[in-house]
Amino acid sequence: MSLHPLTSQWWGPPKRFDVQEKDRRVSWLELFYDLVYVIAIARITHHLAHHVTLGSFLEYTGLFALIFWGWLNGSLYHDIHGNEGLRTRLMTLWQMMILAALAIMLDRPATTNFTGITIVLMIMQLYLTYLWWSVGFYDQSHRRYNRPYTVLYLVALALMGVSLFLPEQALRWIVPLAILCNYLPPFISSRLLGRSSMDLDMSSSMFERLGLFTIIVFGELVLGVVNGISAIQELDASAWINFALAISIVFTLWWIFFTLVSRREPKKGFVKASLLELLYVPALIALGLLAVSFTSLFDGHEDFASMRFVFQMAIAVFLISISLMNGLLEFPDNLLKIKRPMQRSLLVVAALFLVTAPLQLHVKSMYYLIGVVVLLLLEILYLNSRYYRAIRVSDGEKRG
């Protein structure tokens, strides 16, 4: 479809997906967009912290997967098709409005919020479906690639609508099926791209967006520590020691993640990029569970034993996710030899947390937190020793 040149300039139709900008910087609008999503995540995390049950966890996981899907689609659309035109800005701001409405509904009483949340999620679903469909309106060559998105997103929309008229038990299969429909299209489109001898790599700016979003979710961990310590009636020396230990755990997890992930580049290929994006789902859910755990992980709390189990499982899932992510990242030649040992070490530490999670350990929270800090610090020391040893060997070979 051809547009008047002047209209095209100020309105800014979607950029062609086969025209990628090199060294594109993340815009201020994208950062603003991320913050609205974090509000929604903070709401569901806050709800889980006050209702720690299996049902609440499943509800949290489903909502998180849908919220992250909304963020991921909006971010990918902006990265692939966005520009400085009015259309891109309005489309982004309208999606932010939908998420703000979702955050409002998430804070409503439980007796009335299901219908409201579902309707707002349906609006988000329809809006994102329109975004991908509209690209084909401007660029006919793109239609065959966005068709899986349009069809499956509409199926998910229909499932959400049907859920309003079915009993609560039906959500056990409707929600997973809707989530599957939302996350499946990239893998179908990749086959269509392959038939056309085309491929789509994850851009450095999109990889940066994922890292920035992770940093914001790490902020929820700090807030969880603050809320947990604030709930203690008497802030004595042991409370402040627990505070320092808990913050240290947050920092060690941040250190491991960004040391191993942020300095790399994603491997080429649309499927690998999509798998890498999917691995952020369990990693970020684990961080949310850690934030919830910190609110009840200190002495005197009646849920200390159950929270310790959730806490260790979350750390294990987070470390496993990092190990798997490393398999989808590029490593320089001088570090290829240590890639698998580093992945295995993460899995070993994760296994330790998994195995000891069910054990009934009658210890004070201070000593328990010290043990966690020591174990994570030992992992950091091992990773650093392997890294710098490989660097020294590489430098020696270059001099020789």
Side-chain angles (χ1 to χ4, degrees):
M1 177 178 181
S2 61
L3 296 175
H4 190 278
L6 182 59
T7 303
S8 178
Q9 185 176 3
W10 70 267
W11 180 242
K15 182 179 61 181
R16 291 177 61 92
F17 77 99
D18 54 351
V19 180
Q20 295 190 36
E21 296 180 41
K22 293 184 178 180
D23 301 323
R24 187 184 77 85
R25 297 179 61 181
V26 176
S27 67
W28 297 110
L29 178 60
E30 291 172 280
L31 296 176
F32 189 21
Y33 169 86
D34 292 352
L35 290 176
V36 178
Y37 272 88
V38 171
I39 295 173
I41 291 175
R43 289 292 174 91
I44 61 175
T45 304
H46 177 77
H47 179 268
L48 181 61
H50 289 82
H51 306 85
V52 185
T53 63
L54 178 59
S56 294
F57 167 71
L58 295 176
E59 179 184 333
Y60 172 83
T61 302
L63 284 171
F64 191 102
L66 289 171
I67 292 171
F68 181 77
W69 168 82
W71 174 85
L72 183 63
N73 273 261
S75 300
L76 284 170
Y77 178 86
H78 192 286
D79 190 69
I80 298 172
H81 301 295
N83 50 47
E84 294 298 322
L86 179 62
R87 183 181 188 275
T88 294
R89 296 190 178 192
L90 288 177
M91 291 296 180
T92 304
L93 291 172
W94 287 336
Q95 192 179 346
M96 291 165 63
M97 186 184 301
I98 295 172
L99 258 291
L102 178 61
I104 292 172
M105 295 309 305
L106 289 170
D107 207 35
R108 303 293 291 175
T111 54
T112 61
N113 70 348
F114 171 74
T115 301
I117 290 173
T118 304
I119 291 174
V120 176
L121 286 173
M122 288 176 66
I123 294 172
M124 181 179 73
Q125 185 84 26
L126 182 61
Y127 187 73
L128 289 170
T129 304
Y130 166 76
L131 278 183
W132 291 115
W133 172 86
S134 67
V135 177
F137 179 76
Y138 292 93
D139 178 11
Q140 294 186 8
S141 65
H142 188 272
R143 289 180 183 177
R144 63 186 301 239
Y145 305 117
N146 68 17
R147 192 172 295 124
Y149 289 82
T150 304
V151 172
L152 286 173
Y153 286 1
L154 287 176
V155 171
L157 176 66
L159 289 170
M160 292 178 185
V162 169
S163 71
L164 293 171
F165 305 98
L166 294 179
E168 185 177 348
Q169 292 79 2
L171 295 178
R172 297 175 182 175
W173 63 269
I174 286 181
V175 173
L177 191 56
I179 292 173
L180 178 64
C181 289
N182 281 340
Y183 281 93
L184 194 58
F187 300 98
I188 299 176
S189 291
S190 67
R191 296 180 65 87
L192 298 176
L193 287 168
R195 292 172 186 171
S196 304
S197 300
M198 297 176 62
D199 211 342
L200 191 63
D201 303 324
M202 181 185 291
S203 66
S204 57
S205 56
M206 186 61 214
F207 190 51
E208 182 184 2
R209 288 288 300 282
L210 287 164
L212 292 172
F213 194 80
T214 305
I215 289 176
I216 298 174
V217 178
F218 260 107
E220 289 295 313
L221 272 70
V222 177
L223 181 60
V225 174
V226 171
N227 290 336
I229 296 296
S230 298
I232 299 175
Q233 296 296 324
E234 184 178 353
L235 294 177
D236 54 12
S238 63
W240 288 110
I241 293 173
N242 284 335
F243 167 76
L245 291 169
I247 292 294
S248 298
I249 292 173
V250 175
F251 185 72
T252 53
L253 292 173
W254 172 89
W255 187 302
I256 292 172
F257 181 85
F258 285 98
T259 298
L260 294 178
V261 176
S262 66
R263 295 182 180 180
R264 311 287 170 243
E265 288 293 331
K267 288 185 176 180
K268 304 295 183 181
F270 193 35
V271 171
K272 292 177 181 177
S274 300
L275 288 173
L276 181 59
E277 292 157 2
L278 280 177
L279 285 174
Y280 274 84
V281 177
L284 294 175
I285 288 177
L287 290 181
L289 292 177
L290 287 171
V292 171
S293 303
F294 277 127
T295 62
S296 311
L297 203 61
F298 305 107
D299 289 329
H301 201 285
E302 58 184 9
D303 294 328
F304 173 74
S306 59
M307 280 297 98
R308 188 183 61 79
F309 175 81
V310 174
F311 182 73
Q312 292 194 205
M313 295 295 287
I315 292 179
V317 170
F318 185 68
L319 295 177
I320 292 171
S321 299
I322 297 174
S323 178
L324 295 175
M325 284 180 189
N326 273 262
L328 297 169
L329 299 176
E330 297 286 0
F331 276 68
D333 293 339
N334 59 340
L335 297 180
L336 283 177
K337 291 182 179 180
I338 66 170
K339 179 180 178 179
R340 290 193 178 279
M342 292 168 73
Q343 288 180 281
R344 285 195 293 266
S345 70
L346 289 171
L347 295 177
V348 168
V349 176
L352 287 175
F353 279 107
L354 286 173
V355 170
T356 58
L359 300 180
Q360 297 294 327
L361 301 176
H362 301 286
V363 295
K364 295 185 66 175
S365 59
M366 181 190 302
Y367 301 122
Y368 172 73
L369 293 173
I370 289 174
V372 174
V373 170
V374 169
L375 186 56
L376 292 175
L377 284 176
L378 288 174
E379 174 63 7
I380 290 175
L381 288 173
Y382 172 78
L383 294 174
N384 282 353
S385 65
R386 293 301 302 258
Y387 174 79
Y388 288 111
R389 190 184 309 164
I391 295 295
R392 287 197 299 270
V393 171
S394 176
D395 290 343
E397 290 176 352
K398 289 179 180 178
R399 295 192 192 97

